[in-house]
Amino acid sequence: MPLSRQHRERVQPFVDGFLARRSAGRKHPVEDFLFTYYSQKPGQLLRWHPGAGVVLTGPAAAERTDWKFHRTLTAAELASAGLDAGTTAVTVDLAAFTEARGSTVDFTRMLLSRTAARKPSLGCFGLHEWAMAYKSETNGIRHDYLQLRLGAQGTDELVEKSRIRCTHIDAFRFYTPQAVPLNELTPTRETQPDLEQPGCLHANMDLYKWTYKLVPLLPSDLVMDCFELSWRIREMDMRASPYDLEDWGYTPIPVETPAGRGLYAGAQRDFSAESQQLRARILGLLEPLQEQPCNQNPPVGSTAPDPRPTT
């Protein structure tokens, strides 16, 4: 099966449900998140990219000749790749990408490297979501179509008696005003490289963001591996949240109990290990760019035939 069709069939079940709900004006507290919180659009996720260094020929190449950050091969490159003169062959324009988005490449490499080097911290128990619902009788709740499993008072009591030590700025910034001083840390955008750690569910979900920001440099199979990890993390995160999702088919992880906290920490440990493998893959693909001048393309790599399905 052509790789582009394999990719589309992998993505389609996630996209179809979201688009159907959006068309009907319905919401889903778990399955909509990756399409509403992150900036990648469903159509962008559906588009297959083989990654830098791969040469495409045939109709797929012709289609990509005017795509951003793509270029056709020179006569010398065609000959080196064993392709006939005049063949339409396209690859990622690495020089153009790094010139335009080199700062994103550098930041991603730096952040993921520093995160990967730290030991995972597994003691947060998902309380960032509870801090976002703290004092809900005053602030309301973000998901106003859901009910709090322990009610407003029970939610507040758990926050007040717990140690809250969130390390992730993009979770901390959604805390209610009264919850902000209860966090032992004050994450900021500037301190993100110093605080990000591989036990954090949100840092691990963000691997999806860092990969799609580097498309077409990174291949779609890696983007989807990060997407699917984020999808599963979001499910666990909301099961451990203060919201009652049993009517949606999600059994709660009761982090207000020792058993629930043990269950959470165990799943968090597994996600951490999986995220570290993905970080290593991303960094492995970015490493060759570190010494690559931004105005120069490296030799092209492998050649792939037309990846589109035949009709």
Side-chain angles (χ1 to χ4, degrees):
M1 180 185 296
L3 296 177
S4 61
R5 189 165 70 190
Q6 287 182 13
H7 173 72
R8 193 173 189 90
E9 291 183 358
R10 183 179 181 184
V11 174
Q12 203 79 56
F14 298 104
V15 166
D16 286 349
F18 170 71
L19 294 178
R21 287 188 299 275
R22 186 174 69 178
S23 178
R26 294 183 286 108
K27 298 179 180 180
H28 195 292
V30 177
E31 296 182 2
D32 290 351
F33 180 76
L34 297 187
F35 298 107
T36 56
Y37 178 74
Y38 293 110
S39 61
Q40 171 99 313
K41 295 179 174 59
Q44 294 171 316
L45 184 61
L46 283 163
R47 178 177 282 189
W48 176 74
H49 297 280
V54 177
V55 176
L56 293 176
T57 60
E63 179 185 42
R64 287 167 165 79
T65 55
D66 60 351
W67 282 16
K68 192 173 185 179
F69 302 129
H70 289 73
R71 65 178 181 87
T72 55
L73 268 62
T74 65
E77 288 173 330
L78 288 174
S80 177
L83 297 171
D84 294 335
T87 299
T88 300
V90 171
T91 192
V92 172
D93 191 337
L94 183 57
F97 188 95
T98 53
E99 185 169 5
R101 299 188 182 172
S103 60
T104 302
V105 174
D106 291 342
F107 180 82
T108 302
R109 184 192 298 115
M110 177 274 294
L111 182 66
L112 299 193
S113 296
R114 294 183 66 173
T115 302
R118 296 191 178 99
K119 292 181 61 176
S121 176
L122 306 176
C124 72
F125 305 120
L127 292 171
H128 54 274
E129 289 288 344
W130 295 72
M132 296 176 198
Y134 185 57
K135 299 295 183 184
S136 61
E137 291 182 337
T138 300
N139 302 299
I141 54 176
R142 294 181 66 211
H143 303 288
D144 55 7
Y145 59 101
L146 301 176
Q147 298 296 315
L148 294 174
R149 186 167 53 83
L150 302 184
Q153 182 177 347
T155 300
D156 292 351
E157 289 175 353
L158 181 62
V159 171
E160 289 164 358
K161 73 180 183 181
S162 298
R163 181 190 183 197
I164 304 179
R165 197 175 188 274
C166 180
T167 58
H168 192 66
I169 174 58
D170 287 316
F172 180 70
R173 67 189 177 94
F174 291 109
Y175 277 28
T176 64
Q178 299 90 335
V180 167
L182 302 180
N183 203 63
E184 292 186 3
L185 301 168
T186 306
T188 65
R189 196 63 64 198
E190 291 71 26
T191 62
Q192 186 175 8
D194 300 316
L195 294 179
E196 207 93 313
Q197 50 88 18
C200 173
L201 295 190
H202 281 260
N204 296 336
M205 280 195 287
D206 277 355
L207 290 175
Y208 168 56
K209 174 178 68 175
W210 299 121
T211 52
Y212 75 67
K213 282 182 177 291
L214 297 179
V215 164
L217 215 62
L218 298 182
S220 291
D221 65 320
L222 178 55
V223 175
M224 277 307 295
D225 286 347
C226 293
F227 177 95
E228 290 178 354
L229 172 65
S230 298
W231 184 277
R232 289 182 282 113
I233 289 176
R234 174 62 176 179
E235 178 179 330
M236 198 269 261
D237 199 32
M238 289 301 287
R239 287 178 60 205
S241 78
Y243 300 104
D244 185 352
L245 299 181
E246 288 206 87
D247 288 346
W248 297 81
Y250 298 98
T251 303
I253 298 175
V255 293
E256 69 276 11
T257 69
R261 293 192 175 204
L263 181 62
Y264 185 94
Q268 190 178 19
R269 183 178 296 105
D270 291 342
F271 286 136
S272 176
E274 189 173 349
S275 76
Q276 289 288 61
Q277 293 177 356
L278 290 171
R279 281 187 187 88
R281 286 173 60 190
I282 296 168
L283 290 169
L285 291 172
L286 295 183
E287 191 61 34
L289 305 184
Q290 196 159 8
E291 303 301 327
Q292 180 66 39
C294 69
N295 61 348
Q296 178 182 336
N297 274 301
V300 296
S302 59
T303 302
D306 178 5
R308 299 187 307 172
T310 55
T311 57

